[in-house]
Amino acid sequence: MTQRIPATELPESIAWVATELDLVDADGTISRTHLRTLGEFLLRYGSAPAATLAPVVRTRARTKPTKAEVRTELTDRISTYLSTRPGATLNEISTALAVPLPAVTTASRPVDWLILGEDELVASSERVESATIAATRDRAKGALQAANLMASPLTHNAYTTLLRSGRVQGPSVARIVQLFGSWSAACSAVGVSSGEALRSNYERTWDDEQLFGFVERFLREPAHHGASHQFDIWRSTVNGTQKVPSLGTVRNILGGTWGDIRTSTLRRMRAAWAN
């Protein structure tokens, strides 16, 4: 009698168990000795080897939230805190929420445009002006001085005529008013007589207080994340009910970079709750 039996002649469940136990040789046969031992095992422990020996997939129930979930929940708490205390510092938020500073620093990144640094709480004694605006201001002064050589006193109409004829190269009257506040102030800055009073349509439409108010409204809109390139997008959504200045106008009049303007606005917002 042959001592080996082809695995293909065995019941499917028996063949499966023999294969899993590595009892089937390379030629696809199993020894009678191994088969006898396997049969005794099945008789003793059960007749459904496939069901008995099939691997069991175990799942572990979650007992606590993930790190990402904890961070998101903290971000929401920080956002709620900043809605009533814009301009707060990271240390103040950490203390108020009783959360370690490193955790607050990480979780606050999605709303960090409403947070002031410790070194930003006090305004600089000197007003910082961007290089572009400073260059335009200098260009305007040169144009006014050149125009005064051909027209004195230098009215805004005379300047516009020289500008259009190409005899003077410089910013427009409206741009000069944005930079200096008024036509007479611009002329005074370079020692030039301004002549007649400026037409009312060349006066500033908004003062500093109003401009800071517009920036504050923008910063309170979470969809725009306080980003400068989003300001004019926000402006287009509210211009139907109220005329809102462009970002260029805001920067021209208030001066400085967008970061400077945002910081100054946050100081004003902070003063409403911190003082």
Side-chain angles (χ1 to χ4, degrees):
M1 179 184 295
T2 178
Q3 297 300 310
R4 307 196 66 81
I5 301 174
T8 55
E9 296 180 4
L10 300 174
E12 184 178 349
S13 58
I14 300 298
W16 180 85
V17 174
T19 301
E20 290 296 307
L21 296 177
D22 201 21
L23 301 178
V24 180
D25 288 349
D27 61 359
T29 63
I30 180 173
S31 71
R32 288 183 178 277
T33 301
H34 285 158
L35 185 59
R36 186 180 304 111
T37 302
L38 181 58
E40 292 173 354
F41 174 83
L42 294 176
L43 286 174
R44 178 176 299 182
Y45 294 104
S47 59
T52 303
L53 301 177
V56 177
V57 178
R58 301 182 183 276
T59 58
R60 184 171 60 182
R62 286 174 51 187
T63 58
K64 61 181 180 179
T66 64
K67 290 182 179 180
E69 290 171 337
V70 171
R71 186 168 57 251
T72 299
E73 189 272 338
L74 179 54
T75 299
D76 291 341
R77 291 177 61 196
I78 294 172
S79 179
T80 299
Y81 181 84
L82 289 172
S83 66
T84 57
R85 293 173 179 80
T89 66
L90 289 173
N91 280 318
E92 289 172 333
I93 298 171
S94 174
T95 301
L97 302 184
V99 176
L101 182 59
V104 168
T105 302
T106 300
S108 66
R109 286 170 186 162
V111 292
D112 61 1
W113 76 88
L114 287 172
I115 298 174
L116 281 175
E118 299 289 344
D119 59 343
E120 296 175 324
L121 293 177
V122 179
S124 172
S125 58
E126 296 183 3
R127 181 171 178 171
V128 179
E129 188 169 68
S130 71
T132 301
I133 294 178
T136 304
R137 191 185 297 276
D138 290 341
R139 183 166 165 257
K141 289 180 179 180
L144 291 173
Q145 290 171 329
N148 188 56
L149 297 177
M150 293 173 273
S152 183
L154 183 61
T155 65
H156 67 278
N157 284 330
Y159 176 82
T160 299
T161 299
L162 293 171
L163 201 64
R164 289 174 177 172
S165 67
R167 298 173 69 189
V168 169
Q169 300 293 323
S172 66
V173 170
R175 185 72 175 92
I176 290 175
V177 170
Q178 284 183 334
L179 291 168
F180 293 91
S182 68
W183 179 256
S184 59
C187 291
S188 177
V190 293
V192 170
S193 174
S194 62
E196 63 189 60
L198 188 64
R199 291 205 315 266
S200 60
N201 63 334
Y202 280 124
E203 297 293 346
R204 279 185 179 176
T205 305
W206 302 280
D207 58 25
D208 288 7
E209 189 72 23
Q210 291 171 315
L211 292 175
F212 278 120
F214 287 122
V215 176
E216 176 177 341
R217 285 174 56 189
F218 169 69
L219 293 178
R220 289 187 180 277
E221 289 289 341
H224 301 290
H225 302 282
S228 61
H229 68 277
Q230 291 283 316
F231 185 89
D232 285 335
I233 296 176
W234 166 78
R235 170 180 175 247
S236 67
T237 66
V238 297
N239 253 347
T241 57
Q242 181 181 8
K243 187 175 181 181
V244 177
S246 67
L247 176 63
T249 298
V250 172
R251 294 184 61 178
N252 290 337
I253 296 177
L254 295 181
T257 65
W258 172 249
D260 298 329
I261 295 171
R262 181 194 68 88
T263 300
S264 296
T265 305
L266 284 178
R267 289 195 198 101
R268 297 163 67 91
M269 296 168 72
R270 176 187 174 86
W273 60 267
N275 296 335

